[in-house]
Amino acid sequence: MTESFRRSGEYPQGDDHGSAYPQQQSHPSSSPVNPEWPPPPAYRPAPPVHAEPGTTVWPGSGHGGDGGDGHGAGPYAGHPGSDAAGSTAVFAAPPAPPEGQAPAKRRAKGPFALLAAVAIVAAAIGGGTAYGIQELTGNDTVASSSASASVVPTSQKGTVSGVAKAVSPSIVEISATSNAGSSTGSGVIITTGGEIVTNNHVVSGASAIKVRLNNGKSYTASVVGTDSKKDLALIKLENAPSGLKTATLGDSAGVQVGDQVVAIGSPEGLTGTVTSGIVSALDRDVTVSTDESQGQQQQQQGGSGSEQWPFEFGGRQFNGDTGSSTTTYKALQTDASLNPGNSGGALIDMNGNIVGINSAMYSAASDSSSSSSSAGSVGLGFAIPINTVKSDLASLRAGGSDS
């Protein structure tokens, strides 16, 4: 057998030899066939591409040809040509940046870039929304959250001590002076500007109001608005200090019977007193007087230095006569210990959210036939639901329904 070895490029070319690949002669089936080995390539090898540094070369399946080698442009005889898409493609690199200028970075594309953008937006929303709202609306923004949000540190979540530590700085003692004397109640700081929510009967008829903060410092306050029909009032500190700790108003609609709660207030002038219990019932009808003079009469009769605002429950009167002008509201009932002076203070869930404003307490010795000076809690207290407070804030800021 004759073997023919040729180096690349040694195949016969030019018109002198006819076709680059001579047509094979027909042989009878009995005659041996002696083809060339190795067989010639299907296409003429593409000439090497000389590219400048930085140029990208993508090899193709086709071939080019400029006819400079005697075959003319195009494919070899007997072999179909390929279109331009199959030819070797050369892509020039982008021009270099001017001297001294950093090359431009390529923009990320695809899912990674999308995910990165979403992550950045989510982080901005999660970390900055509350602060942004506070900055836009000023220092009268009220912190409000769902019942599931917690302002108590994780290590102390669900404990009375954790709730007391987190919320006590937001609870104040209120001393109101009127022509009938003075009385003591409590209040809840709701804005850094010094707005405080309390009961209407705590400040009703007051000619002067003093507020003592949890740190012991006292400030003068003035009435912003009152709503005797809901037994609510809004007062504001004059020359309020910076750094006031505001309470977070929760959602009383989510409160259930049996939920553990904490009460903070100033019973008998004992600032920052903490008691605990559970929610005993919902939607209790509590009736209070809307007559300002009724509270003043009880201040004169009580003489204990604490508010003695009359109310009715279950057809009976407590802390004196409510008079003929009354209003009834739906209250949360709790067995957390409440005493005179707790009115206007906070009823708090175990996440540290305010769910009610304490407004009345029952005592066997507090009915109209007994001396109110011997009144004490027997585990029947009442609080105005915080959702009622939130719905009334705009009206209170405008002066309230009594203006």
Side-chain angles (χ1 to χ4, degrees), residues 117-359:
V118 171
I120 293 173
V121 172
I125 293 176
T129 300
Y131 176 78
I133 294 175
Q134 180 81 10
E135 289 298 303
L136 290 173
T137 58
N139 58 8
D140 284 340
T141 301
V142 178
S144 182
S145 72
S146 66
S148 61
S150 179
V151 297
V152 179
T154 303
S155 60
Q156 296 179 302
K157 188 175 181 180
T159 65
V160 174
S161 60
V163 172
K165 184 177 181 179
V167 185
S168 288
S170 303
I171 311 303
V172 302
E173 178 185 302
I174 300 174
S175 298
T177 303
S178 68
N179 296 332
S182 63
S183 64
T184 302
S186 305
V188 180
I189 301 173
I190 61 171
T191 66
T192 57
E195 288 185 336
I196 298 170
V197 169
T198 187
N199 287 140
N200 174 63
H201 70 257
V202 171
V203 297
S204 179
S207 56
I209 301 174
K210 288 288 186 181
V211 173
R212 183 163 68 172
L213 303 182
N214 179 258
N215 60 13
K217 296 182 179 180
S218 296
Y219 296 86
T220 299
S222 58
V223 175
V224 176
T226 59
D227 186 348
S228 60
K229 293 181 177 58
K230 296 177 182 175
D231 197 15
L232 291 172
L234 183 68
I235 65 175
K236 189 170 185 177
L237 298 179
E238 297 177 0
N239 301 315
S242 60
L244 288 176
K245 179 66 180 297
T246 62
T248 300
L249 308 186
D251 181 9
S252 53
V255 174
Q256 299 181 12
V257 174
D259 285 351
Q260 189 175 2
V261 288
V262 174
I264 304 178
S266 300
E268 301 295 348
L270 300 175
T271 306
T273 296
V274 178
T275 58
S276 66
I278 64 169
V279 174
S280 304
L282 306 175
D283 299 326
R284 292 298 198 194
D285 289 330
V286 173
T287 301
V288 297
S289 174
T290 58
D291 188 350
E292 186 176 292
S293 63
Q294 290 297 117
Q296 295 177 354
Q297 291 174 12
Q298 300 310 312
Q299 289 176 12
Q300 291 174 334
Q301 296 170 7
S304 63
S306 298
E307 52 85 18
Q308 297 292 334
W309 191 255
F311 73 97
E312 295 179 9
F313 174 70
R316 299 175 62 188
Q317 293 186 340
F318 305 93
N319 296 336
D321 184 11
T322 56
S324 58
S325 178
T326 61
T327 184
T328 301
Y329 58 83
K330 300 290 186 179
L332 301 174
Q333 181 184 326
T334 178
D335 70 350
S337 180
L338 301 179
N339 290 281
N342 271 113
S343 287
L347 190 67
I348 313 156
D349 68 16
M350 301 311 292
N351 288 320
N353 299 310
I354 312 298
V355 293
I357 299 296
N358 298 320
S359 57

